[in-house]
Amino acid sequence: RSLELTPTWSVAIVCTLFVVISLLGERSLHHLGQWLSRTKRKPLYAALEKIKEELMLLGFISLLITITASYVSKICIKSSFFDKQRMPCHLPSSSKKEADHLLVSNRRRELASLENSCTEGHEPFISFLGLEQLHRFLFVMAVTHILYSCLTMLLAIMKVHTWIKWEEEAHTHVDNQEQLAELTKTLTLKRQSTFAAYHASSLWSRNSLLLGVLCFFRQFGQSVTKSDYLALRMGFVTKHKTRPRYDFHSYMIRSLEDEFKDIVGISVIFWTFVVCFFLFDVHGVNLFFWMSLVPIVMVLVVGAKLQYVIAKLALEDSGLSGPRIAGLKPRDTLFWFNKPRLMLHLIHFILFQDAFELATFLWVWWQFGWDSCLMQNRIFSYSRVVTGFLVQILCSYSTLPLYALVTQMGSNYKRAIFQEHIVDSIHNWKKAAKKRNKDH
């Protein structure tokens, strides 16, 4: 029945449900934004705005597919041409009855026949059914990525919050240092010796290649120890000449929150990756499985590199890798291509790729069922789920916390080093200076 032949009460009920659900979601985001703005959490507010942009893009794509679906499904191609192309699954050598049964199992028989005006021997360039399935995939992927990134960042911040006791201990030592100058030297040497002794305790530490292997396995244990935190904090304070009482822990939290808006977004490059994935996902390649290995390999490599930076600083400070350096010397040359921020881009891709794998798994299960040819190899399917959870755990409790600490060892400090009121004062001063220059 079309709407002109549908009872008005049923139309009103459906419209009410859609409007109420949409308003609840919109109002929830609005109140969350007000709370973030009221509590002066500008980085998280910016991340929320980025999420709204992604949802708006998703809504526009959804509207575009809905409007153009009937027109795209009328573009006809010879069936013989389609049959020669490689596809994710083999064509079923079945009768029309079996084909109808396949459509019934996916609850889309009426969509498959809708708007199909192709002549015999031809079929739509992409059917109404295919567009509906693609529509649902884009929705599942975008929502999964947003939720996955938010959960990972939340768990990472909670992990970093557990280090606050070390920050308090550092402040306690600062109090002692202010009273007794001699104790300052003693505490400094004690921290550095503990830091160096842990990372230089193995003979492997004297060889760069073996040190890399050792750092690879160290990320599976306690990724950051108290000696690491205190020594790197002291290196940061010394390098950037901040006051000894500077709240380094709060600075790390602010910098993580500030970078969250970059992690939660889906860039044009990532959308291109999705398109390429659909292009090359043909039968027999098992692309779903092989791509699921990319996040786990990348997160292990990034974690090992971050551990290597810590070990390198410890070895330099102890004099085991060249002349002894007086205190830690943070610098960009410790990182790939002298760019500490490159780590953030790699973590962003890791989170997107892992969320993409989870989204495709859920979408295939939802749309095609567990018996689909895309789920034919059970070992590959189970492996994708297991690697997804491993990446989630490593990113949340090891890689992101390590990133928050180790990337402070670059040559420059981040914008979050200043409190929000100081940043606002600097911006106001800049505007006033520009206005004075313009007036004169």
Side-chain angles (χ1 to χ4, degrees):
R1 290 172 182 262
S2 64
L3 288 182
E4 61 184 359
L5 299 177
T6 303
T8 54
W9 60 267
S10 62
V11 177
I13 290 176
V14 172
C15 286
T16 302
L17 289 175
F18 285 153
V19 171
V20 168
I21 294 174
S22 301
L23 284 178
L24 285 176
E26 192 274 335
R27 288 291 91 187
S28 298
L29 291 177
H30 176 71
H31 289 302
L32 177 60
Q34 285 186 328
W35 179 76
L36 292 174
S37 180
R38 188 169 57 253
T39 55
K40 301 185 183 303
R41 298 174 181 268
K42 290 186 178 181
L44 293 181
Y45 182 79
L48 180 62
E49 292 297 316
K50 193 69 171 289
I51 292 175
K52 289 181 179 179
E53 291 177 6
E54 296 299 330
L55 293 176
M56 186 173 66
L57 177 62
L58 174 65
F60 182 77
I61 295 175
S62 176
L63 179 64
L64 191 63
I65 292 178
T66 302
I67 293 175
T68 60
S70 59
Y71 300 100
V72 174
S73 60
K74 290 180 180 178
I75 302 175
C76 299
I77 301 292
K78 286 186 177 181
S79 298
S80 58
F81 174 77
F82 264 177
D83 294 343
K84 296 176 182 177
Q85 308 302 316
R86 300 192 67 182
M87 292 167 274
C89 294
H90 277 309
L91 281 174
S93 55
S94 58
S95 62
K96 184 178 182 299
K97 179 179 179 180
E98 291 175 331
D100 288 342
H101 176 72
L102 179 64
L103 293 176
V104 170
S105 65
N106 288 281
R107 296 175 296 174
R108 291 294 180 273
R109 181 172 56 183
E110 68 281 1
L111 292 177
S113 60
L114 188 63
E115 302 293 344
N116 186 4
S117 58
C118 295
T119 59
E120 186 177 355
H122 294 73
E123 56 186 272
F125 182 74
I126 181 170
S127 67
F128 203 92
L129 169 63
L131 288 171
E132 176 68 13
Q133 292 169 341
L134 179 62
H135 188 182
R136 294 183 176 225
F137 168 76
L138 294 176
F139 175 81
V140 172
M141 187 198 68
V143 173
T144 303
H145 174 65
I146 292 174
L147 294 178
Y148 188 89
S149 300
C150 291
L151 178 61
T152 303
M153 181 60 71
L154 176 63
L155 294 176
I157 291 178
M158 291 174 61
K159 176 68 173 180
V160 175
H161 268 295
T162 61
W163 302 344
I164 193 170
K165 57 182 181 293
W166 300 337
E167 183 71 22
E168 294 172 352
E169 182 177 342
H171 289 182
T172 302
H173 290 168
V174 168
D175 293 336
N176 294 335
Q177 289 171 354
E178 290 176 349
Q179 296 175 6
L180 299 172
E182 185 62 27
L183 185 59
T184 303
K185 182 179 179 181
T186 303
L187 291 172
T188 301
L189 292 175
K190 181 179 179 181
R191 288 184 195 173
Q192 291 181 353
S193 61
T194 304
F195 173 65
Y198 173 77
H199 290 280
S201 58
S202 173
L203 294 176
W204 291 15
S205 302
R206 300 170 185 266
N207 183 283
S208 297
L209 179 61
L210 296 179
L211 176 62
V213 176
L214 187 63
C215 291
F216 177 84
F217 289 103
R218 277 179 179 168
Q219 62 183 312
F220 298 108
Q222 187 178 4
S223 58
V224 177
T225 62
K226 181 172 72 172
S227 60
D228 292 343
Y229 182 88
L230 294 177
L232 295 182
R233 179 189 181 278
M234 181 174 293
F236 178 87
V237 170
T238 305
K239 168 70 177 179
H240 301 295
K241 297 179 175 59
T242 61
R243 55 191 176 88
R245 285 183 172 276
Y246 180 73
D247 195 345
F248 179 68
H249 183 268
S250 296
Y251 164 57
M252 283 196 304
I253 297 292
R254 290 197 304 272
S255 64
L256 260 184
E257 292 178 349
D258 195 34
E259 290 162 340
F260 176 51
K261 62 180 180 294
D262 297 325
I263 290 179
V264 78
I266 303 179
S267 64
V268 177
I269 297 177
F270 290 167
W271 284 112
T272 305
F273 170 82
V274 173
V275 174
C276 293
F277 183 88
F278 277 110
L279 178 62
F280 297 108
D281 181 31
V282 296
H283 181 73
V285 176
N286 293 315
L287 195 58
F288 279 107
F289 170 74
W290 298 115
M291 292 306 297
S292 68
L293 300 179
V294 174
I296 191 68
V297 172
M298 289 186 64
V299 76
L300 291 176
V301 171
V302 171
K305 177 60 178 178
L306 293 172
Q307 287 284 356
Y308 185 83
V309 172
I310 296 178
K312 189 71 174 177
L313 288 170
L315 293 175
E316 290 177 352
D317 189 47
S318 63
L320 292 181
S321 62
R324 179 181 174 84
I325 300 176
L328 301 183
K329 295 297 181 182
R331 58 196 184 278
D332 287 347
T333 54
L334 295 169
F335 301 90
W336 288 320
F337 305 105
N338 301 333
K339 293 182 178 180
R341 192 171 174 80
L342 177 62
M343 296 288 185
L344 182 66
H345 298 308
L346 294 177
I347 293 174
H348 186 194
F349 179 76
I350 290 168
L351 293 178
F352 171 80
Q353 173 63 20
D354 201 43
F356 175 76
E357 284 294 324
L358 179 60
T360 51
F361 177 82
L362 295 175
W363 172 69
V364 170
W365 192 6
W366 176 26
Q367 290 295 291
F368 306 104
W370 190 250
D371 295 328
S372 169
C373 69
L374 298 175
M375 294 274 198
Q376 190 173 10
N377 195 317
R378 294 289 189 266
I379 296 179
F380 286 176
S381 299
Y382 296 146
S383 300
R384 292 170 56 195
V385 177
V386 172
T387 54
F389 281 111
L390 287 176
V391 171
Q392 172 82 59
I393 294 172
L394 281 174
C395 260
S396 301
Y397 293 104
S398 179
T399 309
L400 266 177
L402 263 176
Y403 167 83
L405 177 63
V406 177
T407 52
Q408 313 303 336
M409 296 298 103
S411 301
N412 304 311
Y413 53 77
K414 301 177 183 179
R415 174 182 177 274
I417 194 172
F418 300 111
Q419 299 283 353
E420 283 298 330
H421 67 277
I422 298 178
V423 174
D424 293 339
S425 299
I426 293 175
H427 282 311
N428 293 334
W429 172 83
K430 180 180 178 182
K431 291 179 182 178
K434 282 186 176 181
K435 186 176 184 303
R436 285 195 299 269
N437 290 334
K438 184 178 180 181
D439 293 341
H440 296 286

